[in-house]
Amino acid sequence: MTIQDSGFMMEEGVSCLPCTPEEQKKIVIDLRNESERNLKEGNLYFVISSGWFRKWERYVGIDADANLIGNQSSDSRHMNVASSLVAEMPGAIDNSDIVQNGSDCNCKENAIQLRRNLMEGKDYVLVPQRVWEKLHEWYKGGPALPRKMILQGVYHRTFDVEVYPLRLKLIDSRDESQSVIWLSRKASLSELFQRVCALRGIEQNKARIWDYFNKRKHTQLSASNRSLEESNLQMDQDILLEEVDGHHSSRFGLDSTGNELALISMEPSRSSFTIAGGPTLSNGHSSGFKSNQYPGSSLSSGLKDTDDGFDAYNTVRKGEKRGLAGLQNLGNTCFMNSALQCLVHTPPLVEYFLKDYSDEINTENPLGMHGELALAFGELLRKLWSSGQTAIAPRVFKGKLARFAPQFSGYNQHDSQELLAFLLDGLHEDLNRVKEKPYIELKDADGRPDEVVAAESWKNHKARNDSVIVDVCQGQYKSTLVCPVCNKISITFDPFMYLSLPLPSTITRTMTVTVFYGDGSGLPMPYTVSVLKNGFCKDLLLALRTACCLKTDENLLLAEVYENKIYRYLEMPLEPLASIKDDEHIVAFRIQKKGMEKTKLVIFHRWQEKSTTDYLKSGKELFGTPLITYLGQDQPSGADIETAVSKVLSPFKRMHSSAKAHIGKGSDFLSDGLDELCSSSDAQSIENAEFEGALSTHLSLRLLLTDDRVMNFKAFKKDTLFEPGKILSVVMDWTDKEQGLYDASYLKDIPEVHKAGFAAKKTRQEAISLSSCLDAFLVEEPLGPDDMWYCPRCKEHRQAVKKLDLWMLPEIIVFHLKRFTYGRYLKNKIDTFVNFPIHNLDLSKYVKNKDGQSYVYELYAISNHYGGLGGGHYTAYAKLIDENRWYHFDDGHVSPVNESDIKTSAAYLLFYKRVNESKMEIGESSYSHSTS
């Protein structure tokens, strides 16, 4: 990798760049905001290595918790953060860590290939063109990695930067040579023809290009405005070039005897849509799928996309097992394959989609996809149940998914549960039997019996939502909210499609937090508390409140101290504790609630070495823990700042420093020791002009205004007024006099969160039961501060207590084990083993509607996730009900698996089917069955 020299000089740590760090920060933020206001298709963005960009962010003073790129984990600083005591310039832009080996900055744009499977935020950032131009002007380097913005989706249009353009492998049948072509997936087939013909030196009217997916001819492509994405061309697939001038012929696509194979178009039929039981050959002859496999079916489909590897030659042979076809990975689509295998092995859905469902397709539902998603899913399901063990490439289905759910487009890894939620909802809307949804005014329970309110709610729901998905996959739960002030009770009954269950950890960890007094009323004290390992910051705060006997009028402000600065505030209650590492230093400040809406003051400490007399030259370094307090004045002044600093330092006074060293109130403690500081300041000669300005205003403490990086300083006067509500930062310089007056050891060497011993025992493997997850889901708990409930009696938002109860369970119930926790600073995965029953899962005790029904379930499918966040791998286990045997579906590979081996810590989605119940007729109300 060759990186251009940056072209700027460094002299004694001073930048020779034309702009200061603050100016750079402002310019980039302004340009970014301008770009966001002018989003349009075709805008250029540039890919930059996150490693370099974070260095630049630190240099210009963008906080880790408010950076331009986001997604920075709390431990990344341990690898990347240089000493923040010096404003270190990042050097030339260096993208060498995100491009493939061998790529060079002198290569043409399309020749520079990004490494595969990079994650935005973690590995790279995207900046608008004008931001890149400025950064490159200042720092040079590279290579430049431009990418275009594209517009995605049909009904929900979204802008997206195409980081990974479509890579196609061109095979020239004339000499069997191979070339690589990069094009946007939004590029037209005409653009593809132009690129191919220019590259291979062939006239366009003599060129014939085939979709050559899996080295088989599928569709002859024609120069048109149809996009490559609409043509279902996939990343890294082959396309075949033939010359049709009568002189060149090709044996590509010929059988062993030299005869041309029958080719099947994957173009949608232009005739009025029907649904067929199987594919039709291009010459119009049926494959026999309809009559031989599913008698009575009259399904036909315009989606004759045998690009999936399914055609007349792949139909199931006599005696061959059905339902064992794998799904080919089209580039990080294992999440989709896993969810699809679970759905296509759901018995009621298999039965439904193998029949004629044409009458139920709703093409007019504005919330649906005009029936296209249901058609694509039904066609894929029939292929998977009709191709023996031949792997299917779900290209058409992925194309439909990208059109209607652009969040799943491209080739990034996604969440199988998010895909499942979209599919179930999308299939429901496409198959909704209600053509015109009536308006229904909701009624409150008003003390009526639960049975009456529940039946009314379900009836109203069915009046607007009636599909096979509702019939078999939707249940109903009871939600109870209680106002903590007036005790108003609100009861509602709501439908659900799946249940997201928390994983209640039983393993604890000890955490040590040093608690400081924000009002200077006491010395700091470390507290060691025990919290759940997979808990949240709210759990740590609750434990600390008890340990330090926090008063009702006090709050705790939690923060991490790193390199003698406040690195981050842990203010989100649901921030996972996993984001706090054992070797970090966590502090908490006891703050009066009534003062927290005022101006926050952060006090840094700096040591002035004896040998240094020049105030702004080297020889000063930060030490100790920053202190935080709040200024009570409506418009604080410099004198208020000095008073507040003295107050929070008062507990650290040495007893021998003054006869009046006792902690007092008001101005008493201020005058006790400050006379000494004044005399010491007067005795010391200060050459720096800024600090002389500070002394002239009679500041008794050596205080300067600074920023959160403690890199810029400004003197202030006692009568200087500050805007209220802002965060003010000051640095206090300590000399021998201050060291003699205050005991700074309380500020130094605060303990780590957890100091592991040399003989620490290995943490045991935790195991919890599915029933404990259900108990945690149904437990009564207060709403979060960001999820307040509007009490109709109080006429105010209240932090109500919420309780969920299961009222009616569907035939198919899906449990989503919430293994992924998302905080402000960290995304974490919980690998806890959940012990779930395979047979006889009895949920009767959880169902509040005592209707005499049996709620016993049997497991039939699992979506598994292995590895960490942003990557990893999804697979599925599914049971073939007819032969009572389990199989492992790993993309295109399918293999039998013992039932005893399907319970692992990778289980993510659990699919259960109700047993001991007579089968419900498709279309009949689930509610009527549960109440009959």
Side-chain angles (χ1 to χ4, degrees), residues 713-925:
F713 309 96
K714 183 179 180 181
F716 63 94
K717 301 177 182 180
K718 282 193 173 185
D719 58 358
T720 302
L721 296 179
F722 299 94
E723 187 177 349
K726 296 284 187 180
I727 298 177
L728 295 176
S729 298
V730 297
V731 61
M732 174 178 169
D733 280 296
W734 292 59
T735 65
D736 288 341
K737 288 291 184 181
E738 286 80 18
Q739 290 276 19
L741 181 61
Y742 297 107
D743 186 353
S745 64
Y746 291 106
L747 299 172
K748 300 176 182 178
D749 305 321
I750 60 173
E752 297 178 348
V753 168
H754 180 71
K755 191 73 173 178
F758 291 105
K761 294 182 179 180
K762 185 177 180 181
T763 304
R764 64 182 174 87
Q765 177 66 39
E766 183 182 16
I768 58 178
S769 65
L770 182 63
S771 61
S772 66
C773 297
L774 265 169
D775 291 336
F777 174 73
L778 299 173
V779 73
E780 181 179 277
E781 61 180 357
L783 297 175
D786 297 328
D787 190 25
M788 306 280 272
W789 170 65
Y790 182 79
C791 176
R793 183 180 293 169
C794 296
K795 307 297 183 184
E796 289 186 28
H797 285 90
R798 301 294 190 193
Q799 197 168 354
V801 176
K802 184 175 184 178
K803 176 72 171 72
L804 292 178
D805 292 296
L806 300 180
W807 186 261
M808 180 188 70
L809 299 185
E811 179 182 358
I812 299 297
I813 188 167
V814 180
F815 293 113
H816 164 222
L817 303 179
K818 296 174 68 173
R819 294 196 175 276
F820 302 122
T821 56
Y822 301 92
R824 186 175 182 181
Y825 303 100
L826 181 72
K827 298 177 181 179
N828 183 51
K829 184 188 176 187
I830 303 172
D831 287 315
T832 301
F833 174 76
V834 177
N835 189 10
F836 50 88
I838 299 175
H839 305 284
N840 300 319
L841 170 63
D842 191 351
L843 300 176
S844 301
K845 68 176 182 178
Y846 295 103
V847 182
K848 294 301 180 182
N849 178 24
K850 303 304 179 183
D851 56 2
Q853 293 278 336
S854 171
Y855 289 102
V856 178
Y857 288 80
E858 180 170 334
L859 186 73
Y860 70 88
I862 307 171
S863 175
N864 302 301
H865 180 269
Y866 300 89
L869 282 167
H873 183 58
Y874 286 92
T875 68
Y877 291 126
K879 182 178 182 179
L880 289 190
I881 304 297
D882 292 342
E883 62 173 285
N884 194 31
R885 186 167 187 180
W886 286 88
Y887 287 87
H888 183 215
F889 293 84
D890 186 357
D891 288 330
H893 181 70
V894 181
S895 59
V897 62
N898 293 327
E899 185 174 89
S900 58
D901 295 330
I902 66 172
K903 293 166 70 168
T904 71
S905 59
Y908 183 44
L909 300 175
L910 305 175
F911 292 74
Y912 283 89
K913 182 183 185 300
R914 189 162 59 193
V915 296
N916 298 329
E917 287 281 347
S918 59
K919 293 185 178 180
M920 294 184 292
E921 293 183 15
I922 300 301
E924 189 172 348
S925 168

Side-chain angles (χ1 to χ4, degrees), residues 148-343:
K148 286 186 178 181
M149 176 168 279
I150 59 177
L151 189 59
Q152 301 208 96
V154 177
Y155 304 113
H156 306 287
R157 307 286 275 171
T158 59
F159 287 107
D160 189 24
V161 177
E162 189 176 27
V163 176
Y164 289 98
L166 194 59
R167 181 178 184 268
L168 300 173
K169 291 184 283 187
L170 172 65
I171 301 175
D172 192 332
S173 64
R174 298 173 297 177
D175 56 8
E176 300 188 12
S177 62
Q178 298 189 19
S179 311
V180 174
I181 292 178
W182 294 84
L183 276 173
S184 169
R185 58 181 182 268
K186 296 296 184 180
S188 67
L189 290 175
S190 294
E191 293 176 74
L192 175 63
F193 267 80
Q194 293 171 7
R195 181 72 65 87
V196 168
C197 293
L199 178 66
R200 301 304 300 166
I202 183 174
E203 296 179 22
Q204 191 164 324
N205 59 358
K206 295 182 179 180
R208 183 165 62 184
I209 301 178
W210 291 93
D211 174 359
Y212 202 52
F213 184 78
N214 282 346
K215 293 290 194 294
R216 290 180 59 249
K217 285 183 178 179
H218 293 282
T219 302
Q220 181 179 333
L221 305 176
S222 59
S224 66
N225 291 328
R226 184 181 176 89
S227 72
L228 306 186
E229 184 176 54
E230 290 172 328
S231 302
N232 298 314
L233 298 182
Q234 302 296 315
M235 179 71 79
D236 295 324
Q237 81 154 77
D238 296 321
I239 55 174
L240 177 66
L241 170 64
E242 293 180 337
E243 186 175 13
V244 286
D245 60 357
H247 301 290
H248 292 83
S249 61
S250 170
R251 292 187 59 85
F252 285 85
L254 303 183
D255 64 15
S256 59
T257 63
N259 297 319
E260 188 169 355
L261 296 176
L263 300 172
I264 306 165
S265 172
M266 68 177 189
E267 296 285 337
S269 171
R270 302 302 177 190
S271 59
S272 59
F273 86 86
T274 56
I275 303 178
T280 304
L281 296 181
S282 56
N283 60 9
H285 294 291
S286 171
S287 67
F289 176 94
K290 168 182 169 183
S291 57
N292 293 342
Q293 297 304 324
Y294 303 105
S297 171
S298 60
L299 298 179
S300 180
S301 174
L303 295 173
K304 303 179 181 69
D305 52 284
T306 52
D307 64 304
D308 288 348
F310 172 81
D311 57 23
Y313 302 97
N314 285 336
T315 53
V316 63
R317 294 181 292 272
K318 185 176 181 179
E320 191 173 11
K321 295 178 181 178
R322 293 186 289 119
L324 294 180
L327 287 166
Q328 186 173 335
N329 194 314
L330 302 177
N332 279 335
T333 56
C334 58
F335 75 97
M336 179 181 76
N337 295 345
S338 174
L340 283 174
Q341 290 290 7
C342 293
L343 279 183

